Amino acid sequence: MGPSQSIKNLNTPRIALIDCNNFYVSCERVFRPDLTHTPIVVLSNNDGCVVSRSAEAKKLGVKMGQPWFQLAPLAQKHHILPLSSNYTLYADMSNRVMKTLSTYSPKQEVYSIDECFLDLSDFAMPLDSYAKMIRQTILQNLGLPVCIGIGSTKTRAKLANFFAKQHPLLEGICDLESIDTQLQAYFFNQTQVNEIWGIGAKITEKLATKGIKTVWQFMQACPNWLRKNFSIILVKTQAELNHISCLGLNDIKANNKQIIASRSFGAPVYTKQALSEAISSYVARAAEKLRQQNSVAKIIYVYIQTNRFNQASYHAPGVFLTLIEPTQDTRLLTLSALQGLEQIYQPGLAYKKAGITLSEITPNTQKQHALFAPKSTFDNSKSQILMQTIDQINQSIGKGSIHLLSEGFDKSWQMQSNQRSPRYTTHLSEVAKAYTDSN
Ligand SMILES: [Mg+2]
């Protein structure tokens, strides 16, 4: 089942999807090579649920999203190691991966923290060798294993990536357009529709009632029938599987993939009120940056820290919150951030610093709406106008002239001199520090 070595014709679209394997677990292993064969799970905030599993943990039957307390007996029996999530580390590793990958194509779209598309169209070389080189480089430079799927469209690339992950014989790379047609048909027949990008549980269920269960069956379905019974989106998904590109590659290389706003306080801060004000104003700054690059963010990370030089009492909790829909609205981001603070704040401590990080940043134009999201508190078009207006006023009459009440007025917590954010991506000592101390 070796892929063909022929050099493809020019002018044929080729999209690669590169996806890190068990990303959070793999990041942890980079700094703990002794855990290479240990069954590991990474847990969500407050050590609630499993958000990443090592291959060993998967084999033991650990499910994604499973609450940790449910796993206790299994974990004890098989010595499964639970780790708290360390989002700062993952975000930094993600940046390094994406930066490395950006050197392999002029067109890149970062799709999530651990996956990106690269446009390899018109590359006059055997793509399987090229993919092998990419895979080896990421492994060698960053210690992270990745799988690469290649297809004529984004949806095919996604599916190819799934095959690359599923079948060890492919050694992490599947160029769907160069494997032979029999093997392709075999894959399509063996794979359930829910593995197709954009087809969720609800649609899978409905398709099943109409007798469509495999990718192969879905590809053969009548487009008009799909449009009538489902939606135009599903028709596009089918077209994509049949080599007709409906989804372009959005090049967001120039934009920040992560926006950080944080600051040390001038004097120790004790109250939740003061921390709320600080965090609200960091969110406002970050959201303004987000709007400047016309992007939306899906994840906001909030943290507070006591004096890190006082090791005995050092306390640095953080929490990351996923928004129902990606947004650039300061009010929605602030609401989430303050909910996060509510979860991590402990009274009676002297806090030295607080910060937020926005991530999973995508261009506003390709914003994906949650299918079943409750109606947003803030009307989308009105929100944009309001935010634009605030930005314009602040730009013309001075920063922060108009702001949310939650930012406060006297800002006694503000630090006068040091404006520097933590050097997450450039100073390994700070990355490592955050990792060992905050967990
Ligand atoms: Mg992944």
Side-chain angles (χ1 to χ4, degrees), residues 19-22 114 165:
D19 186 357
C20 300
N21 303 351
N22 316 327
D114 73 333
K165 282 221 174 73

Side-chain angles (χ1 to χ4, degrees), residues 254-268:
N255 285 337
N256 285 322
K257 280 149 203 136
Q258 210 193 115
I259 297 175
I260 296 168
S262 71
R263 204 172 286 183
S264 296
F265 301 133

Side-chain angles (χ1 to χ4, degrees), residues 120-262:
L120 304 181
S121 307
D122 304 330
F123 276 42
M125 61 176 81
L127 289 184
D128 36 7
S129 326
Y130 196 62
K132 227 176 250 174
M133 181 170 70
I134 295 175
R135 194 165 182 264
Q136 232 139 37
T137 306
I138 300 290
L139 192 63
Q140 210 165 346
N141 294 5
L142 296 161
L144 294 170
V146 301
C147 279
I148 302 179
I150 299 172
S152 57
T153 63
K154 284 169 91 173
T155 307
R156 281 179 75 92
K158 269 274 200 187
L159 197 58
N161 193 287
F162 172 76
F163 298 147
K165 282 221 174 73
Q166 285 289 301
H167 304 282
L169 277 173
L170 296 173
E171 294 178 347
I173 294 167
C174 175
D175 179 353
L176 202 48
E177 316 311 346
S178 73
I179 60 176
D180 68 53
T181 44
Q182 267 184 330
L183 184 60
Q184 253 191 51
Y186 171 80
F187 281 163
F188 290 153
N189 271 309
Q190 291 296 307
T191 309
Q192 305 299 301
V193 282
N194 64 316
E195 302 299 348
I196 299 170
W197 192 28
I199 297 194
K202 281 250 155 92
I203 297 174
T204 301
E205 218 174 278
K206 194 172 167 193
L207 281 169
T209 64
K210 316 266 182 194
I212 296 177
K213 290 182 176 157
T214 67
V215 172
W216 181 261
Q217 289 167 337
F218 177 70
M219 287 166 77
Q220 314 305 318
C222 167
N224 279 332
W225 178 84
L226 277 179
R227 191 194 316 256
K228 258 186 226 150
N229 288 276
F230 295 88
S231 68
I232 184 73
I233 299 168
L234 216 56
V235 177
K236 283 184 179 170
T237 299
Q238 188 201 37
E240 281 251 320
L241 286 172
N242 291 318
H243 299 285
I244 300 158
S245 171
C246 301
L247 305 165
L249 213 61
N250 301 69
D251 188 3
I252 56 163
K253 229 195 237 176
N255 285 337
N256 285 322
K257 280 149 203 136
Q258 210 193 115
I259 297 175
I260 296 168
S262 71

